Structure formats: C-alpha cells, structure tokens
Amino acid sequence: MDNYIKQEKKALVMGGGIAGLLTARVLSEQYDDILVIERDERPEKPEARAGSPQSFHLHQVLPRGEMILERFFPGFSDDLLALGAFPIQEPVQWINRYGTMMMPAQGVFYSRALLEWVLRQRVQALPNVRFLYHQEVTSLETSLDRTRITGVHIRQRGQIERQETLMADLIVVASGRSSKLPQWLTALGYKLPEDERLISAIGYSTRYYKAPEQKKGQVPLIVIENDHTKGSSAGGVLKSIEGDTWAVCLSSIAGQYPSTSAEGFEEGLTRLINPAIAEVLRDAEPLTEPRGFRIPECIRHHYEQMENWPAGLLVLGDAFCYFDPVYGQGMTVAAIEAEALAGCLSEQPGAPQAGFERIALQRMQDAIYPAWWLSTLEDLRWSGVTHSGPEPLKHIAFLHKYFDLSLKRQTQQFEKQQQTGAFNPLFMNYMLMTALIVSPRDVINVHMLNLLLDEVPEERGTILADLFQGYDQQNIEAVLDEVVPAFSFHYDEQAVSSPEEEVLQS
Ligand SMILES: Cc1cc2nc3c(=O)[nH]c(=O)nc-3n(C[C@H](O)[C@H](O)[C@H](O)COP(=O)(O)OP(=O)(O)OC[C@H]3O[C@@H](n4cnc5c(N)ncnc54)[C@H](O)[C@@H]3O)c2cc1C
C-alpha cells in the first residue's frame, strides 16, 4: 500500500462488481496504477457473493452490453464456454400477451457469477491493475477547500478502529446500489440535486434445477411476460446456464411478491400467462430452495447537475442509477457508461482538464436516460407504481398504447413468419430497442405511428389527443423529439456482425 502512494497517475475504483471491473479495464489504458477496493473476500471460484446479493438471481447481459464486453475483453464468450457456459443451439422462446416468438439464437448463456469471474480474471491479468480485497471504503478524503476528492478512507471489513487513507488522482465510485456516496457528499457540505425515484415494489424469487438428461441443451431460454391488461403482474424466466442447470425466476411488481416457498414457487409458475416453464420443469430436479429479493424503489441520481461537483471523483453503475432488474438493463448500462468514460479519457489524454468529471457524468447520464425512460414507462402501467423527480414523464397513455401496438405487431409478424416465411424487419426495431441498440425515437416515429394507427382506426383520435395534450401546434415529429429519448449507436463491424444478428443471441 505504501508503494502505491509513491506511483504516478493513480486511480482508485471503489467496488469490484461488474461496473468496477469495467471501469478498471477502461482506466488501465490511461492510468499507471489502478487499485480496485472491494469489501468482499477475493472469490475463489465463480459463486454469488455477499457484497452483491443479487448475483444469486438470474442475470443476462443485453446484446448491446455483450458487444461492449467483446470489445473490452475480446473472446470473453470463449472464456465462458471453456468454463462450461451453455452454448445456444436452439431457438429462444419469448411469450407475451399477444403470442409466442420462437427466435433463432446463437451465443452463450451463463450465470452472473460466471460472468463476473471471467471479467475479473481478465482485469486481474492487466499489469497496472491491483485488487485490495476485504477492505471497505468508509468515506472520502478531500482537499482543504473540499473542491477535490483526493483519496478514500478504508478499513478492513469488520475492524472498526483502524482506518487507512489511500490517495489518488481519480476516485471512481462503483459500489452498487448500497453506495454511501449521497451521504458522503452531504457530509462534506454538498447540496444534492433531487433524485428520480420509481416506487415499484418489485419482487424476485429464483430457484435452480438440474436439466433432465433428455432435455439437456434443448431449452436455452423461455421468457414469459406479465400481462397488465389482465392484472397478471407475475412474469417468469427459465435460462440454461453452466453445469446443465436451469435458473428459473419469478418476478412481480407493485408489491405482489412471488413466493419463496417451494410449493408456492411451483404454483406461481403454473399461474403465469402461459404454462411453458411449468411444463418444461415437470421432470426436473430442484437443486436449491427458492430465494427472494425485494426492490422497494429504483433510483436515478442526477449528479451531473451539480455545478460544484468535486474534481477527482466519478460514479457509475448502480451507484449512479439503479434500474428495475426485470428488463435486464443494469450491467449493459454500466458497460455503456464505461464506454462513455473511455471516450472522455481518450479525448483528454494526459491529465484531464478542469470540468472533465462533469462532462463524463453527463455522457454517462445520456447513456442512462433511454434505459431508465423505457423501464420507468413500462412499470408505470401498474397501479400503485409511482415516479417522482424533477421532470414528470409525459404522454404516458400515448406511449403505452404505442408500445402495445408495436409489440402486438411484432409478435404477429413473428408468428406469420413461422407459417409463411414473410417477415417485415421494420418491426424488429421494437426488440432492438429493448436491447438498447435502437433508440426509442427510432421506434416511435410518424411512419410507424401511421402504420400502427391504421390497425385501430377507431382509436386514432384518442391516441393522438393524448400526444398533443398541452401543445398548440399539432406537429407530431416536434412533440416526439421533445418527449422520446434518442441516441445514435454505431457498432464496430470489426468486433461484431450486425445488430440484428446480435440481438438474437440472447
Ligand atoms: C434480482 C436482480 C436481478 C438482476 N438481473 C439483471 C439482469 O438480468 N441483467 C442486468 O444487466 N442487470 C441485472 N440486475 C442489475 C445488476 O445486478 C446491476 O446493475 C449490476 O450488478 C451493477 O453493477 P455494480 O458494479 O454497479 O454493482 P454491484 O455488482 O452490486 O457491485 C458493487 C460492489 O461494490 C462493493 N462495495 C459496496 N460498498 C463498498 C465499499 N464501501 N467499499 C468497497 N467495496 C464496496 C460490493 O461488495 C460489490 O462487490 C439485477 C439486479 C437484481 C437485484
């Protein structure tokens, strides 16, 4: 540790979870010495850790996130396969209130623990990255005028008295949803902007099963969505992971928590809008009891709005924004944030200039926005779910209707394709949007709106009335520009094949 203080251009990363590992990888290109401080013990094998209790539950990286991981860690899927990850060879099954989509797919499926293990092995192999395990950051060290964060105070886990101070040029907070950053900043006298809060009372229950011999390799993924039109708030997912294991989860919203008893869990599976998972599991042997997880609220901080944000400090991952996990966005957004940070660092090689941190925070917030908007909008379909914050979400009824019609159209297209081979790729965009590859604004446009409204001519007036509420001019594009998040995404053809192919990989 003494050695550490003497070196040049140092960075400290607080938290060795997904966001911390990605950050260390990004910083390794610009900093001489990066130290990742993690409060858990060094993991000896891929397994769920106490520091990230959510890792017991089913996790999947969205296709956009996998593209970024491939760029940062070329061949990471091969590493996963070598450690027993599940090679996808059969179509994945996506069931929603309009029907079933059997989607051809390729790639690998894995547990969160295995993914984190593979990423950690890669980061540990970087010559300028070191890890300090079983040490907890307790607060921030600042310059005398408190305008710069210069270090952190740490202590060994469980030891109350002995503290140490580590100094660095850049401190990155990647300590997840339990991050104490708001309290630390407040204690230093900073006034924090209003957070956005989505009170959604989400519940998870996850159980593992051994895939029976005759079904091994046959069932990569079954997703069964909930149905707000019938008040069925529970959804379910079965995913094949390493070790011929099926990870099965039930999730629900608005305080309708799925059961964590074995009988209640099995019964919950039969009450989903489709019995596909319950049927597949009929002859499967459970490996664990179900385990629950509750998420009372999701939080999007607005640190980028702080004009006096201290120099030398950044935050990313769940510590910046914590999403409803049902949409599988958290790790992918962390990857996009890390990519944004890499972009900012490469624009300012050498010592970052004044204001660098706020530029980086703004770019990360730009990455957060579309994902937050999509999941918040979807959760607001449920009575009892509320959103608060500086800006209310606008035109919710219009957007709900639009997405209903899009999903219906896409599902029907898929089913038609299976029967006739005819397929309109235009509707694939909805799927690409949920994969964070295509922006919501590319999905919601006048051309598509007219196609969708043609399907429900009797509702045209009501749908448009909600869109134009509060506007004098009836210019659809102008309203959509104001309301719907947009981003452009250029994927690297060297690294990946095509977005359409990639989205079918998971
Ligand atoms: C039930 C559930 C299911 C989910 N499913 C998905 C999914 O399918 N897809 C997806 O993309 N996302 C999913 N997520 C979200 C995903 O888990 C997070 O977005 C992701 O883990 C964020 O990574 P992180 O590094 O920010 O936080 P974490 O992975 O939580 O890591 C934070 C790390 O910081 C350490 N730490 C905390 N405080 C300190 C401290 N003071 N000092 C030192 N170390 C500290 C912790 O020990 C931990 O290792 C799910 C979440 C839940 C709850």
Side-chain angles (χ1 to χ4, degrees):
M1 249 180 275
D2 285 341
N3 220 2
Y4 178 70
I5 293 169
K6 288 180 204 119
Q7 291 180 11
E8 285 182 351
K9 212 169 169 212
K10 303 156 197 160
L12 290 173
V13 179
M14 199 184 299
I18 298 293
L21 293 169
L22 285 162
T23 305
R25 163 67 186 82
V26 163
L27 295 177
S28 70
E29 293 193 2
Q30 301 277 344
Y31 282 73
D32 300 305
D33 187 15
I34 300 110
L35 185 66
V36 180
I37 307 168
E38 167 55 49
R39 67 180 175 191
D40 273 354
E41 297 274 16
R42 172 195 284 266
E44 297 298 334
K45 55 181 179 181
E47 63 185 350
R49 297 182 292 113
S52 53
Q54 75 273 25
S55 44
F56 179 84
H57 298 274
L58 194 148
H59 272 64
Q60 184 60 29
V61 182
L62 296 175
R64 170 95 178 263
E66 288 194 334
M67 291 179 194
I68 298 170
L69 291 181
E70 187 60 43
R71 244 174 264 158
F72 285 152
F73 305 104
F76 87 103
S77 306
D78 295 335
D79 292 5
L80 287 162
L81 271 178
L83 290 169
F86 178 89
I88 308 167
Q89 279 150 355
E90 299 293 325
V92 302
Q93 196 173 348
W94 205 286
I95 300 167
N96 63 48
R97 57 193 173 278
Y98 301 115
T100 298
M101 292 186 266
M102 294 296 294
M103 297 191 273
Q106 47 181 282
V108 288
F109 281 153
Y110 41 81
S111 67
R112 148 85 191 229
L114 190 65
L115 173 70
E116 199 181 282
W117 175 263
V118 163
L119 300 187
R120 190 179 302 106
Q121 300 301 311
R122 290 290 192 102
V123 175
Q124 277 176 177
L126 296 169
N128 53 345
V129 179
R130 295 178 298 136
F131 283 74
L132 196 56
Y133 287 104
H134 209 219
Q135 298 280 337
E136 186 172 21
V137 177
T138 54
S139 55
L140 302 172
E141 174 79 5
T142 68
S143 57
L144 278 178
D145 62 2
R146 294 189 169 178
T147 59
R148 169 171 281 277
I149 303 301
T150 54
V152 297
H153 304 130
I154 60 164
R155 70 170 172 226
Q156 195 175 337
R157 199 94 199 267
Q159 285 236 350
I160 305 294
E161 288 114 43
R162 278 197 51 219
Q163 292 239 25
E164 246 182 290
T165 304
L166 297 179
M167 309 296 280
D169 304 291
L170 180 68
I171 319 287
V172 184
V173 179
S175 46
R177 52 199 262 291
S178 63
S179 157
K180 298 277 183 298
L181 184 61
Q183 292 90 320
W184 292 340
L185 288 173
T186 307
L188 290 170
Y190 286 93
K191 190 166 167 2
L192 303 187
E194 187 184 358
D195 298 324
E196 270 177 79
R197 283 173 190 259
L198 181 69
I199 314 275
S200 38
I202 298 149
Y204 258 67
S205 188
T206 300
R207 193 175 198 195
Y208 290 85
Y209 297 80
K210 183 129 199 75
E213 204 56 45
Q214 70 279 15
K215 289 183 187 159
K216 272 185 193 167
Q218 305 294 307
V219 192
L221 178 75
I222 305 174
V223 177
I224 304 178
E225 291 190 348
N226 61 24
D227 181 358
H228 64 91
T229 61
K230 298 210 173 85
S232 313
S233 65
V237 181
L238 178 152
K239 187 177 101 161
S240 281
I241 58 168
E242 62 273 12
D244 295 320
T245 299
W246 285 335
V248 180
C249 95
L250 281 170
S251 64
S252 197
I253 191 166
Q256 306 288 314
Y257 301 117
S259 174
T260 52
S261 76
E263 308 73 52
F265 187 84
E266 305 289 333
E267 208 233 316
L269 289 168
T270 64
R271 280 194 276 111
L272 297 174
I273 61 165
N274 184 297
I277 296 180
E279 281 169 8
V280 164
L281 284 178
R282 207 164 278 152
D283 42 3
E285 174 200 341
L287 295 172
T288 65
E289 289 300 302
R291 194 188 290 178
F293 197 100
R294 290 186 180 189
I295 303 129
E297 59 179 347
C298 305
I299 301 177
R300 178 185 179 199
H301 295 287
H302 278 289
Y303 297 122
E304 80 290 351
Q305 291 174 1
M306 288 171 63
E307 282 177 22
N308 62 346
W309 175 264
L313 181 70
L314 284 177
V315 51
L316 53 72
D318 279 13
F320 201 164
C321 182
Y322 178 49
F323 299 89
D324 176 346
V326 163
Y327 309 101
Q329 299 168 322
M331 296 189 293
T332 294
V333 174
I336 305 174
E337 289 168 338
E339 199 176 48
L341 174 60
C344 293
L345 287 168
S346 67
E347 284 164 18
Q348 298 195 16
Q353 288 149 23
F356 161 80
E357 293 82 354
R358 286 199 66 215
I359 294 171
L361 287 175
Q362 184 59 59
R363 297 239 187 116
M364 291 188 218
Q365 188 61 269
D366 294 344
I368 289 169
Y369 176 43
W372 173 265
W373 184 85
L374 281 169
S375 52
T376 303
L377 193 65
E378 206 49 44
D379 282 2
L380 284 171
R381 289 181 187 276
W382 296 93
S383 137
V385 174
T386 59
H387 169 256
S388 66
E391 292 260 347
L393 254 71
K394 291 184 185 154
H395 308 289
I396 295 173
F398 165 80
L399 293 162
H400 282 165
K401 190 72 198 176
Y402 192 100
F403 283 150
D404 278 343
L405 292 171
S406 296
L407 181 62
K408 185 173 178 188
R409 185 81 182 244
Q410 174 167 305
T411 310
Q412 288 170 347
Q413 284 285 331
F414 251 94
E415 290 182 333
K416 193 155 126 204
Q417 184 200 21
Q418 271 151 17
Q419 288 155 15
T420 65
F423 177 60
N424 183 351
L426 200 58
F427 295 98
M428 190 65 198
N429 266 357
Y430 179 88
M431 220 63 193
L432 292 168
M433 175 186 72
T434 59
L436 301 179
I437 288 175
V438 162
S439 96
R441 185 65 180 88
D442 290 325
V443 172
I444 306 179
N445 55 58
V446 174
H447 176 63
M448 282 293 294
L449 177 62
N450 283 328
L451 286 178
L452 296 172
L453 288 177
D454 284 348
E455 312 231 319
V456 283
E458 67 292 352
E459 292 183 55
R460 190 181 184 97
T462 334
I463 293 171
L464 289 178
D466 182 68
L467 179 65
F468 291 129
Q469 202 177 21
Y471 292 87
D472 297 335
Q473 286 219 344
Q474 304 220 328
N475 179 337
I476 298 180
E477 293 288 7
V479 179
L480 294 179
D481 278 345
E482 194 186 314
V483 174
V484 183
F487 62 81
S488 56
F489 168 55
H490 306 286
Y491 65 97
D492 180 355
E493 285 184 23
Q494 303 294 316
V496 289
S497 40
S498 79
E500 278 84 354
E501 281 171 30
E502 285 286 334
V503 80
L504 296 177
Q505 286 184 12
S506 55

